[in-house]
Amino acid sequence: MNAAWALEVMDKAPYITVGMTDINGKPYSVPLSLARTDEQTFYFHCATEGKKLDIIQANPCVCLSAVSKCKPTVGPKDGSFTLEFKSAIAFGKAEIVTDDTEKRRALQAICQRFLPHHMDAFDAAVERSMSRTTIVRITLTEPPVGKRKQYDANGDEMKYGRMEKP
């Protein structure tokens, strides 16, 4: 599936797993609450120190993966046990944000995505926590791609490129 479709999957996913590699070549991945601000920029927040920040500073290359729909099912026509899903993957470069204006915009995007009905408390929360919060920007280095397995109302698998009808 194309980049726009993959970004929609990431926007709907409850979290995105960020994979990285430490200086010894050991993989490390962690599910995080990311918010996207444009076609290639994602942000997450975390504490001011920790393993993921150490890894990012040593090796900023990351892989994002997300699943926004995952449902075990029985194939409608052949009775096979299967899984319907929508998934996306993207590669990028992670950087620690040092500019306070960008940090504030990133936190606003994260809060707007996950707690949109509580934005009235945003300013006070940022004042309390900005000094102890790190923001990481992930800039995609290539367009994301997606994959899915999905059946239509007739029980036919919707192959590559075939979209749902509104």
Side-chain angles (χ1 to χ4, degrees), residues 10 16-19 34 42 62-66 88-92 138 140:
M10 290 180 158
I16 297 173
T17 300
V18 179
L34 274 71
F42 289 82
V62 297
C63 177
L64 309 179
S65 65
I89 189 168
F91 298 93
I138 297 175
L140 299 187

Side-chain angles (χ1 to χ4, degrees), residues 46 48 97-108 122-135:
C46 59
T48 57
V97 176
T98 57
D99 176 73
D100 282 346
T101 302
E102 184 179 3
K103 284 176 73 170
R104 187 176 185 83
R105 279 195 319 262
L107 286 168
Q108 187 169 18
F122 174 78
D123 290 328
V126 167
E127 290 303 316
R128 284 191 311 272
S129 63
M130 180 78 100
S131 64
R132 61 180 190 270
T133 303
T134 297
I135 299 294

Side-chain angles (χ1 to χ4, degrees), residues 80-158:
S80 63
F81 287 37
T82 190
L83 189 68
E84 285 189 294
F85 65 90
K86 293 181 180 181
S87 66
I89 189 168
F91 298 93
K93 180 181 177 188
E95 299 173 89
I96 296 169
V97 176
T98 57
D99 176 73
D100 282 346
T101 302
E102 184 179 3
K103 284 176 73 170
R104 187 176 185 83
R105 279 195 319 262
L107 286 168
Q108 187 169 18
I110 294 166
C111 290
Q112 185 65 47
R113 178 171 182 219
F114 293 99
L115 292 168
H117 302 297
H118 298 281
M119 292 306 291
D120 57 327
F122 174 78
D123 290 328
V126 167
E127 290 303 316
R128 284 191 311 272
S129 63
M130 180 78 100
S131 64
R132 61 180 190 270
T133 303
T134 297
I135 299 294
V136 177
R137 176 191 336 103
I138 297 175
T139 305
L140 299 187
T141 54
E142 55 189 82
V145 295
K147 188 174 180 181
R148 71 167 181 200
K149 182 163 193 176
Q150 188 172 349
Y151 295 97
D152 66 14
N154 296 323
D156 294 317
E157 186 177 346
M158 296 172 64

